[in-house]
């Protein structure tokens, strides 16, 4: 292993490399992408820093099977493995993030020493530091000052975090509180005034860098965006729903936000809280254990108002619809039936509203986030990465079967041993015309046998398909053959 990057040339080779359980990092690259080449230098030097880990690279366009398996849509792209499983990914040219993610997976540089974030220090050498400096300049981040110092994080990210933390309640909006420039921003301002809280605002129309950067930083594509103690609550719809249900007031109270003495809030144009799970939730160990068990009780778990067949709020209904559209099996918990869970989960997850969707015990978000992830394709990608297999109904299965070969014959028996005279006739006709075909023995699968009759609206077998479309049964096939049209029909 130590100090080298191995080129992977097949899915089988990759599976063997990561299947042993050792920590591994995989780089998807392309020769035409300069960012890939630069990151490859960083990757190669990290392989020297972490000799106990496997460092692998795949030319993304030359290995489509591997790229599709990991939903690679852009390069550079990195996948990190531990114990044979995917534990993290990274998209884009970010040397600092790459180094830290490698360190997180591979542990300490020196065996026996405690794990620590990667520093890209002396072992990386001047070439990689030069590369990092180049990226730092290009991305607006602080350059590396000298060999051995940690890579500085992106300056824009620092600025965005400072803005978010500048007030306990912070609203990024279009316009100002006195003169909003969109109805959604106006609505959230009105809500905050009704809630009686002090809040800061930032006009995203005045700064394109902040406007575009915050979309990526928060993984939230629209404005306004409302934050409480550094934590994103959501946009206009979520703020409205939380206000109407009384949950917004609860969130402000739970986060120690003081209420203005008058019935209107004050605001400041542009303090400090921290996003993420709180260090101490204040929940009892019994409730914490119960919530942990509930969030992990199904690979896909939805905490909602009502039940999937009887949702009791529009947001819950929307997430149920999305999961069904994605053909994902999921379990649900009606938070209206258990006030302890309803209140406790908000603190446990540090997420103040419902529904809440979890995949493999990890909070994904609420309805707006799930909807945005579905639209962008990110939800499908996350489900794939987490090993969640789509539920395949009979119609989906039949559609795949009839299209599994350009010419597909559903028959009794197989071509070498037909088990009825009609099937034998069609097999002989296709062989005489030298037509290659696939086949399925309907006697081996009663579900397919009965389902295909309804699917094709054709009650008997054999059934012959071309490019997923039904041609017909034995009589039609023989008529086409006798008329000299069979080969032409199956090659159009």
């Amino acid at each position: 292993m130590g100090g080298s990057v191995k080129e992977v040339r097949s899915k089988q080779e990759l599976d063997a490399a990561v299947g042993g359980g050792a920590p591994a990092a995989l780089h998807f690259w392309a020769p035409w992408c300069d960012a890939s080449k630069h990151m490859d230098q960083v990757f190669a030097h990290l392989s020297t820093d972490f000799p106990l880990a496997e460092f692998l690279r795949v030319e993304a366009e030359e290995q489509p099977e591997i790229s599709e398996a990991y939903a690679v849509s852009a390069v550079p792209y990195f996948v990190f493995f531990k114990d044979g499983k995917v534990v993290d990914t990274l998209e884009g040219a970010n040397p600092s993030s790459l180094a830290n993610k490698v360190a997180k997976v591979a542990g300490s540089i020196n065996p026996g020493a405690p794990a620590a974030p990667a520093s890209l220090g002396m072992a990386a050498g001047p070439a990689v530091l030069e590369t990092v400096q180049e990226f730092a300049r290009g991305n607006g981040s602080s350059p590396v000052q000298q060999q051995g110092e940690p890579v500085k994080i992106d300056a824009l990210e620092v600025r965005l975090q400072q803005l978010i933390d500048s007030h306990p309640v912070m609203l990024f909006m279009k316009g100002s509180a006195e003169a909003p420039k969109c109805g959604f921003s106006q609505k959230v301002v009105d809500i905050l005034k009704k809630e009686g809280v002090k809040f800061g605002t930032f006009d995203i129309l005045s700064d394109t860098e902040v406007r575009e950067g915050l979309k990526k930083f928060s993984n939230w594509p629209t404005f306004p965006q409302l934050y409480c103690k550094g934590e994103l609550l959501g946009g206009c719809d979520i703020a409205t729903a939380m206000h109407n249900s009384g949950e917004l007031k609860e969130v402000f109270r739970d986060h120690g936000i003081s209420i203005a003495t008058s019935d209107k809030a004050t605001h400041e144009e542009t303090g400090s809280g921290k996003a993420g799970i709180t260090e101490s939730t204040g929940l009892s160990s019994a409730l914490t254990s119960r919530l942990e068990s509930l969030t992990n009780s199904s690979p896909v778990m939805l905490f909602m108002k009502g039940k999937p067949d009887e949702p009791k709020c529009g947001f819950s209904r929307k997430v149920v619809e999305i999961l069904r559209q994605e053909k994902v099996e999921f379990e649900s918990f009606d938070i209206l039936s258990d006030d302890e869970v309803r209140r406790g989960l908000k603190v446990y997850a540090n997420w103040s509203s419902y529904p809440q969707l979890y995949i493999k015990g990890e909070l994904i978000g609420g309805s707006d986030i799930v909807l945005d992830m579905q639209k962008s394709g990110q939800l499908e990608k996350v489900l794939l990465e987490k090993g969640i297999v789509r539920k395949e109904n009979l119609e989906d299965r039949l559609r795949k079967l009839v299209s599994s070969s350009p010419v597909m014959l559903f028959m009794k028996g197989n071509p070498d041993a037909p088990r009825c005279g009609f099937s034998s006739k069609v097999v002989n006709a296709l062989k005489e015309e030298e037509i290659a075909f696939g086949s399925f023995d309907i006697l081996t699968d009663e579900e397919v046998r009965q389902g295909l009759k309804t699917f094709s609206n054709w009650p008997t077998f054999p059934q012959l398909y071309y490019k997923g479309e039904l041609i017909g049964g034995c009589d039609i096939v023989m008529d086409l053959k006798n008329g000299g049209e069979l080969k032409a029909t199956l090659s159009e």
Side-chain angles (χ1 to χ4, degrees), residues 353-405:
S353 60
Y354 291 98
Q356 293 181 16
L357 179 65
Y358 293 76
I359 297 179
K360 292 289 183 74
E362 178 184 341
L363 176 64
I364 300 302
S367 59
D368 282 9
I369 287 179
V370 175
L371 178 59
D372 287 338
M373 289 177 68
Q374 185 198 35
K375 288 180 177 178
S376 68
Q378 185 66 20
L379 182 59
E380 182 180 4
K381 183 177 179 180
V382 169
L383 290 167
L384 181 65
E385 289 173 350
K386 297 288 186 180
I388 306 299
V389 180
R390 284 188 168 194
K391 179 176 61 178
E392 185 178 62
N393 59 31
L394 179 58
E395 185 175 343
D396 292 331
R397 186 183 175 204
L398 294 175
R399 188 171 287 109
K400 286 182 180 178
L401 279 172
V402 299
S403 302
S404 59
S405 178

Side-chain angles (χ1 to χ4, degrees), residues 7-10 14 26-33 36 40 56-79:
E7 190 77 31
V8 176
R9 304 189 185 281
S10 71
L14 175 60
L26 173 64
H27 176 201
F28 289 89
W29 71 287
W32 46 264
C33 177
S36 280
D40 209 40
L56 312 165
R57 68 201 291 262
V58 169
E59 189 172 341
E61 294 176 341
E62 291 298 313
Q63 301 294 336
E65 182 185 5
I66 303 177
S67 297
E68 288 173 13
Y70 294 94
V72 178
S73 58
V75 292
Y77 187 84
F78 300 86
V79 181

Side-chain angles (χ1 to χ4, degrees), residues 54-114:
E54 287 273 11
F55 284 76
L56 312 165
R57 68 201 291 262
V58 169
E59 189 172 341
E61 294 176 341
E62 291 298 313
Q63 301 294 336
E65 182 185 5
I66 303 177
S67 297
E68 288 173 13
Y70 294 94
V72 178
S73 58
V75 292
Y77 187 84
F78 300 86
V79 181
F80 304 92
F81 302 85
K82 201 164 190 177
D83 298 324
K85 297 178 181 179
V86 175
V87 295
D88 206 351
T89 60
L90 173 65
E91 181 173 306
N94 189 325
S96 176
S97 291
L98 175 61
N100 282 292
K101 286 178 182 286
V102 167
K104 185 177 178 182
V105 171
S108 173
I109 293 176
N110 301 311

Side-chain angles (χ1 to χ4, degrees), residues 433 435 466 471 480-481 483-492:
E433 295 289 336
I435 297 170
Y466 179 60
I471 300 300
L480 288 169
K481 180 179 183 298
E485 301 176 36
L486 183 59
K487 194 161 190 174
T489 301
L490 301 178
S491 59
E492 290 178 350

